[in-house]
Amino acid sequence: MTDADTTTAAADWQAWQESWDRQQEWYMPDREERFRVMLDMVEALVGTSARVLDLACGTGSITARLLARFPDATSTGVDLDPALLAIAEGTFAGDGRVAFVTADLTDPDWTAALPHDSYDAVLTATALHWLHREPLADLYGHVAGLVRDGGVFMNADHMIDETTPRINAAERALRHARMDRAREGGALDWAGWWRLAAEDPVLAEPTARRFEIYGDHADGDTPSAAWHARVLRAQGFAEARPVWCSPSDTLLLALK
C-alpha cells in the first residue's frame, strides 16, 4: 500500500466535505442557490457533457455538484492549497471524470499545468477575492484564452458596489448579526474549521504548508460586478453580466 493509499484509508473525506460546506454556509446561507444557477447556465449555454475547469477549486465543491447533476461532464480542479486539495483528491479518488492540478494562479505559466488547452466552462466561487485588481485582470486574460468560442466563465464572489456605502453598511451589519447568533448556536467559522484541520492526523501537515503559503487570509479586493464585467469584456469575452445576486455577492457570467 502506498502512502497515498494509507492517507485515503485514514481520512473520512466525505465528512470533511460536509464540514467544509457547513462552514461556508455560515458565511453564505444561499450558497446552494448560487451553485444551482451556475449549473443552470452551464446547461443552457454549453450543455450537460461539458469539459469544465474548476478554478481555485478548494475541496471540489463545484465539481461535486457538477457531476451529481451532469454525470457525463468532466472536471479539472486547479488550486494551490495543499489541505483543500488533499480533501478534493481523497473525495474523488478513482473517478476518471476528475483530475486535479496544483498551480499558483498568479504564476503567468499556470495554464501549462492543465491537461487541456480549452474548456467549455470555467467556474469559480468565493475564491478570487483573494486577489487584487491587477493580478485578477491578468488572470481573466488567461481564462479568456482557455474558454472556447461559445464557452462560458462564471465567478460567484463578493462584489461590492462602492457607490452605495449606507446600503452596504446596513447589509453587512444585519449579516454579521445573524452570523454571530449562528456561531453562538455552535456554527463553525473559518478559523475554527482550520483549527480542526490542523489537529487532524491526516490534514495537519498539508494544513501547516497551506498557512506557509497563504497566512491566515489574503487581503484581496472585492470590486463591483460592473468592474468584473468591464474587465472580462476587455480581456476578450463578448458578453458579461450578473445572472444571480444577493445583497453582498454576485454570480457573474461571461460568454466567449
Side-chain angles (χ1 to χ4, degrees):
M1 179 178 287
T2 66
D3 290 343
D5 293 332
T6 302
T7 298
T8 301
D12 186 342
W13 298 121
Q14 190 56 45
W16 278 110
Q17 287 283 2
E18 292 172 1
S19 175
W20 178 259
D21 284 344
R22 301 294 84 75
Q23 178 257 125
Q24 290 287 285
E25 288 165 359
W26 179 69
Y27 295 94
M28 300 167 288
D30 49 19
R31 185 168 177 255
E32 292 301 328
E33 178 67 8
R34 71 190 68 192
F35 286 144
R36 182 189 67 78
V37 175
M38 178 181 282
L39 295 182
D40 282 350
M41 294 297 97
V42 168
E43 182 174 1
L45 289 161
V46 297
T48 61
S49 301
R51 176 192 290 171
V52 171
L53 178 63
D54 187 349
L55 189 70
C57 64
T59 67
S61 299
I62 290 174
T63 293
R65 288 154 180 80
L66 172 80
L67 298 181
R69 178 163 166 179
F70 307 134
D72 293 331
T74 60
S75 178
T76 303
V78 58
D79 208 305
L80 186 62
D81 189 313
L84 298 185
L85 278 173
I87 296 171
E89 290 168 347
T91 300
F92 295 97
D95 191 330
R97 299 170 296 176
V98 185
F100 290 101
V101 171
T102 300
D104 182 348
L105 297 181
T106 64
D107 181 340
D109 296 322
W110 69 270
T111 60
L114 300 177
H116 305 291
D117 294 331
S118 69
Y119 289 85
D120 301 307
V122 177
L123 310 177
T124 188
T126 326
L128 301 189
H129 64 273
W130 283 61
L131 300 177
H132 289 288
R133 282 170 172 81
E134 185 174 345
L136 180 54
D138 289 341
L139 177 64
Y140 280 170
H142 289 294
V143 169
L146 289 170
V147 175
R148 67 162 173 83
D149 288 347
V152 297
F153 167 66
M154 281 182 269
N155 178 15
D157 210 344
H158 314 312
M159 299 184 188
I160 306 302
D161 187 340
E162 296 176 355
T163 69
T164 59
R166 289 187 296 163
I167 295 172
N168 299 347
E171 182 280 325
R172 186 179 187 279
L174 178 62
R175 175 163 42 90
H176 280 261
R178 289 174 172 169
M179 290 164 64
D180 288 344
R181 289 195 296 271
R183 181 161 46 194
E184 290 169 2
L188 198 63
D189 65 7
W190 171 269
W193 191 90
W194 281 110
R195 281 195 295 270
L196 290 180
E199 295 167 358
D200 183 82
V202 173
L203 289 177
E205 189 274 333
T207 296
R209 285 193 284 120
R210 180 242 180 246
F211 279 95
E212 290 175 2
I213 295 168
Y214 292 111
D216 289 335
H217 201 287
D219 182 23
D221 293 333
T222 55
S224 69
W227 180 93
H228 287 271
R230 182 173 64 253
V231 171
L232 285 162
R233 286 192 293 266
Q235 294 288 21
F237 286 91
E239 301 177 13
R241 72 165 176 86
V243 291
W244 174 93
C245 70
S246 72
S248 62
D249 288 22
T250 296
L251 171 59
L252 195 135
L253 184 152
L255 178 67
K256 187 76 176 287

